[in-house]
Every structure is written in C-alpha cells, then in structure tokens.
Amino acid sequence: MDTQTCFPRKQDKVKKRVMWGIEVAEELQWKGWELGKEITKNLALKNLSLKIQKMKYRPPKTKFFFTVIPQPIFLSPGITFTLPIIFRPLEEKDYVDQLWFEKAEGMFCVDLRATLPCYSLACPPSLQLPMCAVGDMAEAWFCLDNVGDLPTFFNWEVPSPFQILPTKRLLEPGEACQIQVTVQPLMATVYQVQATCLYGEGSRQRSSIQLQAAAKCAQLLVSIQQKRPEDQDVEGVQKVLHFGSVAVGCTAKRQIKLYNPSCVSAPFRIEVAPDMQAKDLAFSCPTTHGIVPPGEKKCVSVFFCPETLDIRTTDYLSIVPSGCASQTLLKLVGFCRGPGVSLQHYCVNFSWVNLGEHSEKSLWIENKSDCTAHFQFAIDCQESVFSIRPTFGTLVGKARMTLHCAFQPTHPIIYFRRVACLIHHQDPLFLDLIGTCHSDKIKPAILRPQHLAWYRTHLVRGLTLYPPDVLGIMLREKKLEQDKNGALMIPTEDLEDVPALQYPLIPPMTEYFFDGSNDMAIFPPPVSIEPVEVDFGACSRPVVPNPVPLCLMNHTKGKITVVWTHRSDCPFWVTPDTCDVPPLKSMALRLNFQPPYPSCLYAVELEAFAVYKVLQCYNNIEEDCTVCPSWCLTLRVRGHSYGAAVEHHIPQYSLDAPKLFPAVSPSEPAYRSLLLTNKGSMLLTFNLAPQSSSDISLRPSSGLVAPGAHQILLTCTYPKGNYWKQHIFYLQFNLCPQYLKEVSMQSREEPLQLKLDTDKSIFFKPTWVSCSSTSLFTFHNPSRLPLEFEWRVSQQYQKVLAVQPSRGLIQPNESLDFTHPGAWAGGCWKPPSEIISVTPDTDVDLQSSGGDQVPVPSGDVGLGSWPTPKSQASCYHPLRTPAGGPGHHQQPLCKGKGA
C-alpha cells in the first residue's frame, strides 16, 4: 500500500476532574512494572478557585501503595501541589487502592491501579460502506488501536464479498493501523456481515466489527453524439456508428455518450470484438474502461484511421457495464477513399522538331478528390530528351497544377516514351510523349498518336517484330489486310466468325511491373538490354573504374538503330552511343563511369531509343499503318567517389510504409505504395539491398532523391496460403551498408468462408397450422474481402423452407442476421407435418468458435415428433457458378453448411 497504514498512537492524556475548586487526576496507573522495584508517580493538585483551599488526605490502605506522612495541605489560588505516591509490588498480580482527600465541603478519592502487561486491540463496533453498483468496488477505512502493553500480531477473518487490507500485521504497544475494507458485490442486495480480528498469544483473543454495504444494479444508456441518418441499420435496431468516407491516412473522430441514470457509479469497459484480422484494425478507442458517476454523462471518442483504399471497413465495439447489466454492441462502419488524380491529356505530341531546337507543351494534372495526393513522374529529366516540370509534387484536395513538357532531341530519329506517373495510394497514370527529329539530311517519318494505337493492336496480333518495309510487302501481297480501324491483321478466311484480336485493357499496376524488365513482361520486348541496373560502388579519384559490359539484343526481324541520350557533364556514358544491330542479333556495349568530384554520390537513369532503320527516311514508308514507334531503353546506374576512410553523410528521411498488403483473391497480386521523403539538405540515394526477400518486388529498386523531394515506391507480392507471411526488404541509403532501413510487411490469401454462430443445428419451435416458426442465426465474414451470397433451397422444399435475406453482400468482418422461416406454401406460412432436416449438398468447412476448421454435419430443424424428410439449402457465389448451371454445386462461396 502506498500510504503508511501503521503509526504511533497518541499518548492517552490523564483524565482529570475538578472537585470544589481542586483539579486532580481521576486515576493513577502503573504499567510495565517489575517485582522488587519501586515506581513513583506524582499526583498533582491545583487550586482553581480564588481562595485558599485547605485539605488533608488519608494514606492508601494496602502496603503496596504508600506516600509521605499525611499532613494538612494549604493551596493558595493558582498554586499546584505535588504528592509523590510510591508503588512497591511483591508478586505478579493486579493491585487496586484509593487515596482519599477530605475538605470542608466533603471527601473525594483518587484510584490507584497497577496492572500486569496484557494484549488489547480496539476497533469501532460497526462500519458502513458507501453504496455501489454490482460488479463495482466500494471502500472505507477504520482505525485499529493496540491499547495493550504488549506487541501482537493480528489476523482478520472476513466473509465474502468483503475484503480487508492488511489482513496480517504486527502492532507495537501504542501503535495504530489504518484498515481498508472493500466490497465487490455480485448481487443487488444489502450485505451485513461480522469481521473478526484474532490477536494475542495463540490468537485466542478477538475483536469484531459489523460491516454493512448495499449494492444496486447500475444502468448505462449508450447514445451517439451528433447522430446522422446512416447511424442505424435497416431495421433501426442495431446502433451503427458510421464514419462515412475518410481519406487514406487521415483520422476521423466520432463520439458516443454514456449516461448513468442510476444512483450508483457505473463502471464500464470497452472491448473490440475479436476477429481474424486483428492486424488490420482501422478503428480504435483509447478509452478501454472508466466510471460514470450517478446521474452524469461521459463522452467516449472512437477514431477511424483507414489505410486500405476503396474498402468498406466494419468492426464491432462492445460497451460492457459492470455486473449483470446487458452490454451494448455498437457497429462501426467506415469507407476509405484515396486521391483522384487525372491528367488533362494522356498523350503529348511534339510533332517534328529540327535537330538542335526544342519544343514545349503544357497540360494540367488535377486531383478531383479532397484527399492530398503525392505524385511523381518516373523519368530522369536531366538524362532524357523529354522533360516534365515539375517532376514531382503534392496536390491538395480539389487542386490543379500545370505541367510543362519539353522535347529536345539529340539525334534525327523517331522518339516515343511512355512515362508512368506514380501516385501515393493510387494506381499509376501513363503519359505518352512522342516526337520526331529532322536534320538537313535525315528526315524520318513523323510519328502521330494514331501510330501508337495501331502499334498496340499490332502488338497483340504479333506483327511488331516485322519491320515496316516487310509489313508493306505483306500487305501488297494480300498476306495481310486492314481492319475497319486501319490496323493490320492476318486474313481469316476460314475463321470468319472469330473477331480480330484487340489490345486488352491492362491494369495500370500490371503494366508498370510487367514492363519487360526483370524477366517480367506482358508482351515479349522487341529490344532488351542486360543488365538493366549497374552499381559501380566506390570509385575514388584518380583511379578510373573499368567499364561494365552491356549486351543489347535485337529480338525483331529487322535491322534497328540504337542511339543513347548523353549529357555532356554526365559522369556515366555508354560507348558506342550510336549503333546498328542486325535482326535477331546482339551488340556488346560498354558502360563508363568517371566521377568528377570526390566524396560525392552519383545515380542516374540513362536513356536509349531503338528504332527500325528503315524508318530513318519517310520515303521508305509506303503504308502509314506500318509506321512503328521507337522503343525506349532505360539503364539505372549508380556509384560514389567516397574514399575508404571517409564516412558517407548521414541520410535524413521519412518513410511512409504500410504494414499489410491489401486483401486479394487467391493467385492475384497485391500492391502497395510507399512514400520516401528526403528531409535533409543533401542528395539521398536509395537502392534495394541484396538480402531482401525474394518474394516481393520493389519498383523502382534504386534512385536519387533531391533535398526536399520525395520518391514513390511500389511493392508487389503474390500472397500464398491462409496464414500471415512476413516479407522483409531493406533499403540502403547513400550507397553505404551502414545505412539500412528494414521494412516489414505481411500478406496472406483471403479464405472465402463464413462463420455460423449456431452449433451444427437450427431448431424451430412447434407452432400451429397456418402459423410460422422462425429461427434466427448469424453469419460472420472473417475475411478481408466482401462476399456475395445466395441461398438456394431445393425446388421440392421451396414451399416449406426459406431463408431471409436470400441473397446479398457481406462486408469484411461483418455479421449478418438471417431468419429461417418454417414453411411457406401458397402465400401463407404452414408448419409441415414432419421434421425439417436440412442437409447440404456439398462438403465444406465451417470455422468453429475456437478458430479451427471442423466439418459440420447436417443439422436438424425440429418441429415436434413427426417423421424426418430431407431438404437442401446452401450458399453460393453468384458470379462463380460453374458452367453446369444452378444445379452444378462445386464452388460455394459461403464456406459453411447452410441450413
């Protein structure tokens, strides 16, 4: 206990009285005496009157108390006379005597008492505790005094529901102890018990105290502050706290009000309903417990901070009062919205530009959502013929920004680059940049947006690997023909009913990750380079590092020309910067690095364009539909010029990284975005460390971030298994192994299943003919994916058995109540003349209450003691029904036995 409960008791003052103007003690006591020793005490007599007092006294009768020879005493006003009295014990026993005084007014005496040492504890006879609620606790204190002459241990015996602290302790003579009494009533009643204190030698002496307490049932009314129309379910029964649409990463707060109308304090606790996705909690309530005083109100805040886009999040909050009062279940609902970034145009056409000149065009980028958006174009503008300003930025809600695009070619060829605009918490956008450069001698065919549309169609039809002159010959020889859009296609004489292939709608994330690098591509790349990423490491001056060999491969059936964009002051360059590669051949290149300054970081993205050589002159093109755009090759390189003994500058950054991948269906990829911000005043480089997990992809895997700028990173993984799997990857900063940042994320496949709250069976109460019998049960969706369901009852028993609602959607972590009416026939409910036994037609699993998957046999729906026919009802995913039709039951959505 924090406070000191034992303390020395104040010494008892000698009780005095006034007899005819004389103040004198009522009694003289001798304690702690020993045999053979004389003990003297002084008796004081004080004259409180205004006249001289005359008295005389008689000596004690026994021989154990004696005083001076009796003589008259004269006391002037205010004078005190002290009379010594001596006690001489001869045996161990109690001694009692009296000393008498005689005055003219009468006689009075003073008791003389000598007692043996004894045990004695004093406590009040009763103690009333404050009234409290059932399940709550009330406390009170009283003082236990050792009024005896000997130290003693005490031990309390108290019946339930009372408790006493301390229960055991040693009390010295004259010491007092504060005793705490608590009561935790389990019923609403009046408690009256007797607590006993055992003390003394062998705990043979007792003192008791009567304990009294009254308990009442507490009441707690739960309401929603600033209630909205959506804060109730369809039936208006269940309380729903709806947060509406909240921007990703932001926090919304709503409050619930707890009112205590009872006359006792109402303790409560707030619990979040346990579920299988505890790692992905978006709702939080800092108040886990508390007390509402009688007649008062308390507001509790609930927060919603979503991190998964475009997901309706559902959770449940239980407000549990103390004792036997019923709890209130509050349903929490919220939706997460992300940024809505779009571009004015998705293709910027610079037309044709003379060599040595440049062209500029502008477009705007807009955020249609009220959620702040961070964007970045995946292009190194300093090393490219195309540039976008600003390359990165932040768009607040409902804002628009102007982008300035520039084209400054270095060689007279066709230029085309598809630039990804990465957006934090949104799928990337793509901007096509096209332009053509003419010189005095070389004038290529002018690339237009229509050529891009034709190229993508030819890509699907497998025609992009042929050069334009070959395609023109095949078109003249009727080996190819044009469709209604002007694109080339292989004639389909025998398969007239089969439509020509068209370019599919590719998800942006899929297009970004499967772009041909790292052996991942939607379509085979016509031209490739290996490696696509080079790290020179430490290259301190004046030693020049050896060039790194590169392999450029031409997978097409035509000769291509490859030109590298090279800035004059760039420390990295490729030799030769221009080359021709024959069909289906490869070319060896060299990557060079020469750092101009010591103790610096270098990281760039080199750019090359490969184009069919026949396109170098527009006269070689007979058919406009055969024009093929160039292919852009990028090469990420990095290195530094720090010496071995020189420490790299310390990175200062912030990293917004999620903990979980979003929920996806089996065999589907899961994506997340990360935001890396350079908080320092120096350049920051990053790259994916080799010891990172191999089952996760990070794009871009390396790069450079300017001071105050940010870099958006995208991660991808394929969840496998229904258990949570941890993915760990490391980001290395400033090309130094010392500066590593560990990022840990988790993923899993979401099992399609439903949990049924009943135990194997659903029972109906007996009912009369033409009446109905209904049973209520609950389905819970423990996964992070919304599930569509549909109940199907075999046609034979559709008039006897039905489930309401028969179809619908269960959101993640949502519980849905179903009613199972007894029998339906001809528009009226009729109880069958038999027991309805529900038997599922597929073997599926149901999660038991403990979380283990157990097979659930068919349940019996009882209606008396009639015979037992069989009916069937099960739950299916309406969008995943096999081709066999409704009767082909092999892919049920609800992973449980329907009743």
Side-chain angles (χ1 to χ4, degrees), residues 300-375:
V300 176
S301 298
V302 183
F303 297 92
F304 176 50
C305 183
E307 294 184 356
T308 305
L309 289 174
D310 302 328
I311 291 295
R312 182 179 183 266
T313 306
T314 305
D315 211 334
Y316 294 88
L317 206 66
S318 297
I319 297 95
V320 186
S322 64
C324 57
S326 60
Q327 67 179 11
T328 301
L329 188 64
L330 192 65
K331 185 176 181 180
L332 308 178
V333 179
F335 185 81
C336 178
R337 70 176 184 275
V341 179
S342 60
L343 298 173
Q344 180 185 11
H345 308 295
Y346 292 92
C347 180
V348 177
N349 182 14
F350 292 96
S351 188
W352 65 275
V353 177
N354 290 323
L355 185 62
E357 298 178 356
H358 76 281
S359 175
E360 289 190 3
K361 290 185 177 294
S362 62
L363 73 159
W364 46 253
I365 182 172
E366 182 182 20
N367 182 13
K368 297 181 180 179
S369 172
D370 55 359
C371 173
T372 301
H374 304 275
F375 71 90

Side-chain angles (χ1 to χ4, degrees), residues 456-466 471 490 501 523 557:
R456 293 188 176 102
T457 304
H458 296 165
L459 188 64
V460 177
R461 298 173 182 177
L463 301 177
T464 56
L465 299 181
Y466 297 93
L471 293 178
I490 300 176
L501 295 176
F523 300 103
K557 298 180 181 181

Side-chain angles (χ1 to χ4, degrees), residues 43-78:
L43 178 65
L45 296 95
K46 184 177 182 181
N47 185 5
L48 300 180
S49 64
L50 300 177
K51 62 179 181 178
I52 298 176
Q53 296 277 10
K54 179 182 178 182
M55 69 182 73
K56 57 182 179 180
Y57 61 93
R58 299 176 187 175
K61 294 180 181 181
T62 64
K63 61 180 178 180
F64 307 104
F65 298 95
F66 58 93
T67 184
V68 296
I69 298 174
Q71 55 184 343
I73 301 173
F74 294 91
L75 286 178
S76 299

Side-chain angles (χ1 to χ4, degrees), residues 107-124:
M107 298 178 64
F108 63 92
C109 69
V110 176
D111 294 333
L112 306 177
R113 188 181 303 274
T115 59
L116 290 171
C118 64
Y119 298 98
S120 180
L121 296 181
C123 64

Side-chain angles (χ1 to χ4, degrees), residues 210-513:
Q210 192 80 13
L211 303 179
Q212 299 176 357
K216 290 183 175 291
C217 288
Q219 294 180 341
L220 204 59
L221 304 180
V222 181
S223 60
I224 299 176
Q225 288 277 70
Q226 299 178 353
K227 193 170 183 180
R228 303 173 183 174
E230 61 268 21
D231 289 337
Q232 62 181 10
D233 58 0
V234 179
E235 292 78 12
V237 178
Q238 187 181 39
K239 287 184 172 63
V240 180
L241 192 61
H242 208 295
F243 286 82
S245 181
V246 179
V248 59
C250 297
T251 301
K253 181 179 77 171
R254 295 204 63 186
Q255 289 186 325
I256 56 177
K257 182 173 63 178
L258 309 179
Y259 172 61
N260 179 13
S262 59
C263 59
V264 293
S265 297
F268 66 92
R269 68 180 188 273
I270 297 180
E271 300 175 348
V272 177
D275 56 79
M276 295 181 63
Q277 49 178 336
K279 299 175 181 290
D280 197 16
L281 290 178
F283 298 97
S284 61
C285 182
T287 305
T288 58
H289 60 277
I291 298 177
V292 183
E296 294 188 11
K297 302 175 182 178
K298 183 180 180 66
C299 290
V300 176
S301 298
V302 183
F303 297 92
F304 176 50
C305 183
E307 294 184 356
T308 305
L309 289 174
D310 302 328
I311 291 295
R312 182 179 183 266
T313 306
T314 305
D315 211 334
Y316 294 88
L317 206 66
S318 297
I319 297 95
V320 186
S322 64
C324 57
S326 60
Q327 67 179 11
T328 301
L329 188 64
L330 192 65
K331 185 176 181 180
L332 308 178
V333 179
F335 185 81
C336 178
R337 70 176 184 275
V341 179
S342 60
L343 298 173
Q344 180 185 11
H345 308 295
Y346 292 92
C347 180
V348 177
N349 182 14
F350 292 96
S351 188
W352 65 275
V353 177
N354 290 323
L355 185 62
E357 298 178 356
H358 76 281
S359 175
E360 289 190 3
K361 290 185 177 294
S362 62
L363 73 159
W364 46 253
I365 182 172
E366 182 182 20
N367 182 13
K368 297 181 180 179
S369 172
D370 55 359
C371 173
T372 301
H374 304 275
F375 71 90
Q376 178 192 9
F377 286 92
I379 183 174
D380 189 345
C381 296
Q382 291 184 350
E383 306 299 329
S384 175
V385 296
F386 298 104
S387 64
I388 303 175
R389 301 189 312 272
T391 310
F392 66 92
T394 300
L395 282 173
V396 297
K398 307 296 183 180
R400 178 182 291 184
M401 181 184 297
T402 301
L403 302 175
H404 300 277
C405 302
F407 175 50
Q408 189 170 6
T410 59
H411 295 82
I413 60 170
I414 291 175
Y415 290 92
F416 163 61
R417 180 163 182 176
R418 188 168 174 84
V419 180
C421 178
L422 307 182
I423 305 165
H424 192 35
H425 296 306
Q426 183 183 324
D427 288 349
L429 303 175
F430 291 93
L431 179 64
D432 292 332
L433 303 175
I434 60 176
T436 307
C437 178
H438 287 179
S439 66
D440 295 338
K441 297 181 179 180
I442 302 176
K443 298 185 182 299
I446 299 177
L447 188 65
R448 295 181 289 107
Q450 180 61 48
H451 295 140
L452 299 183
W454 285 334
Y455 171 76
R456 293 188 176 102
T457 304
H458 296 165
L459 188 64
V460 177
R461 298 173 182 177
L463 301 177
T464 56
L465 299 181
Y466 297 93
D469 54 344
V470 175
L471 293 178
I473 295 173
M474 295 174 67
L475 184 61
R476 288 198 308 270
E477 296 177 354
K478 305 299 182 181
K479 294 180 181 180
L480 294 177
E481 62 182 21
Q482 291 180 279
D483 60 13
K484 60 180 180 180
N485 297 322
L488 299 176
M489 60 179 292
I490 300 176
T492 55
E493 298 178 356
D494 299 332
L495 302 174
E496 295 181 358
D497 296 335
V498 178
L501 295 176
Q502 299 294 330
Y503 191 77
L505 181 62
I506 301 175
M509 282 291 190
T510 304
E511 181 177 353
Y512 181 70
F513 275 91

Side-chain angles (χ1 to χ4, degrees), residues 13-19 22-30 42-45 85 96-101 108-113:
K13 294 183 179 180
V14 178
K15 293 183 179 181
K16 296 182 179 181
R17 59 180 175 172
V18 178
M19 300 298 297
I22 301 297
E23 183 185 65
V24 64
E26 294 182 357
E27 183 182 59
L28 287 183
Q29 290 188 0
W30 281 262
N42 295 321
L43 178 65
L45 296 95
I85 300 175
V96 179
D97 206 339
Q98 290 179 331
L99 179 65
W100 286 90
F101 293 90
F108 63 92
C109 69
V110 176
D111 294 333
L112 306 177
R113 188 181 303 274

